[in-house]
Amino acid sequence: MTNSTLSSNRTGWYALGCLLLVGSLLALSLAVAKLADDAGAPRLGFLMVAVTGAGVLLLALAAVQRQPMKLDRRIIEYALVSGALFALPNALGFLAVRHVGAGFVSLSFAFPILVTWMLAVGLGMERMNPLRLSGVLLGLSGGVLLAWAKAGGMSGAQGWVVLVLAIPLIIALGNIYRTLRWPGEAGPVYLAALMLLGGALALAPFVLAFEARQFTQLLGSADVLRLLFAEVAVFTVLYVFYFVLQKIAGPVYLSQIGMVAALVGTLIAVLLLGESVPPFLGLAGVLVALGAGLFHRGASHHTSPPTLALAKP
């Protein structure tokens, strides 16, 4: 076995480990949001403060690591656009969690992979690969099965269901944008910090418009403060590895986190939050696991066009 093969295998396993960690933390962040909502926290304000705290911590981490911290027009654009594309699906998820449950919101994250993959193939960032296609379709079928079973038991929340189903498209656009416009001279932790701070800036007008009078509730309850610190910690670790994963594996591989989040989020919602067990959970879990395995195997036999080379002004 050559050194390049060993290096490729190590990178593949590192990417898979990052994928499982990031997907699980994404599901956990939604569960914390549900608990904060139950504790009376203003939903958008909670998200904005948590994102700001995580962004500041990541900025400090980037400085400690001596990552390049250039700030020019291109990087400001990256921070604002990637921040908005990050904030919008998260805000929709935080707002909808009261109406449709943490489990259903987690399930919506199973779908971006197909949209991202189709966009990437259409833009020439990915080549058609039978194993990857099979993995995408298997994982997606598991997510669709869970979403269909969950949505069937809802009444009076169809509008929120539609909004939640818009989340995958926005996430896919964000995945593609971050790769196409990745500033090559900036480190991943620094870019993660800028995205989070850009997201907080995008959320601020909505917090002021809809939750200005509720903002003090974030500081008025010990339970909410504990959950806020927990969410900051989750976001900090989540988005360090999120950007590392995007850099080493590309936008389509990254979008598999949704399949992991869908399964882990459903388990958290059932086991910890007391939500009902969706029908076909076991079958959907097997489909998601098989899909992720096939996609990972396809990635190890697949050479994509250099996506980061597209990130030039």
Side-chain angles (χ1 to χ4, degrees):
M1 189 177 288
T2 65
N3 287 336
S4 62
T5 303
L6 285 170
S7 176
S8 176
N9 286 341
R10 280 197 297 269
T11 301
W13 284 111
Y14 182 55
L16 182 61
C18 285
L19 174 73
L20 296 174
L21 176 64
V22 170
S24 299
L25 288 173
L26 179 59
L28 182 60
S29 72
L30 290 169
V32 174
K34 177 68 164 60
L35 293 172
D37 183 54
D38 292 343
R43 289 167 285 173
L44 293 179
F46 182 88
L47 174 61
M48 187 187 74
V49 173
V51 163
T52 302
V56 170
L57 287 177
L58 289 181
L59 206 59
L61 178 60
V64 169
Q65 293 180 340
R66 298 186 182 276
Q67 290 193 6
M69 298 178 70
K70 183 179 178 182
L71 191 64
D72 55 20
R73 187 173 64 181
R74 165 69 183 283
I75 293 200
I76 291 171
E77 173 229 300
Y78 189 89
L80 294 176
V81 177
S82 65
L85 290 172
F86 152 78
L88 184 54
N90 277 277
L92 286 174
F94 271 54
L95 289 171
V97 73
R98 175 187 297 177
H99 304 278
V100 299
F104 185 76
V105 175
S106 294
L107 294 179
S108 71
F109 287 93
F111 307 132
I113 181 168
L114 182 60
V115 184
T116 304
W117 184 74
M118 291 170 64
L119 288 172
V121 170
L123 291 168
M125 299 167 67
E126 290 274 338
R127 296 189 182 99
M128 184 67 71
N129 179 284
L131 279 178
R132 281 192 156 189
L133 176 60
S134 300
V136 166
L137 293 177
L138 271 176
L140 184 67
S141 64
V144 168
L145 185 63
L146 278 175
W148 174 76
K150 184 78 176 177
M154 294 180 188
S155 59
Q158 283 73 20
W160 287 105
V161 170
V162 171
L163 283 175
V164 168
L165 293 178
I167 289 175
L169 176 60
I170 303 167
I171 292 175
L173 291 173
N175 292 341
I176 295 294
Y177 172 81
R178 285 191 306 275
T179 296
L180 289 176
R181 296 294 291 166
W182 186 289
E185 68 277 10
V189 175
Y190 177 58
L191 292 179
L194 291 182
M195 183 190 76
L196 291 174
L197 293 173
L201 192 61
L203 288 168
F206 299 97
V207 172
L208 291 173
F210 299 111
E211 295 182 353
R213 295 182 180 180
Q214 305 171 46
F215 200 71
T216 54
Q217 294 174 20
L218 287 173
L219 306 176
S221 165
D223 289 340
V224 171
L225 278 176
R226 280 192 291 268
L227 290 167
L228 188 57
F229 285 125
E231 195 74 297
V232 169
V234 170
F235 277 153
T236 301
V237 179
L238 165 58
Y239 286 104
V240 166
F241 288 98
Y242 189 98
F243 268 70
V244 168
L245 180 59
Q246 173 135 16
K247 185 172 185 179
I248 65 174
V252 176
Y253 195 101
L254 170 76
S255 63
Q256 285 184 104
I257 63 173
M259 295 193 296
V260 178
L263 187 57
V264 174
T266 301
L267 292 173
I268 290 175
V270 170
L271 298 177
L272 300 182
L273 302 181
E275 296 183 12
S276 59
V277 179
F280 313 117
L281 177 60
L283 175 59
V286 170
L287 290 171
V288 169
L290 286 174
L294 276 178
F295 195 92
H296 176 65
R297 186 172 177 80
S300 66
H301 295 88
H302 172 82
T303 303
S304 299
T307 56
L308 294 184
L310 298 172
K312 296 177 181 178

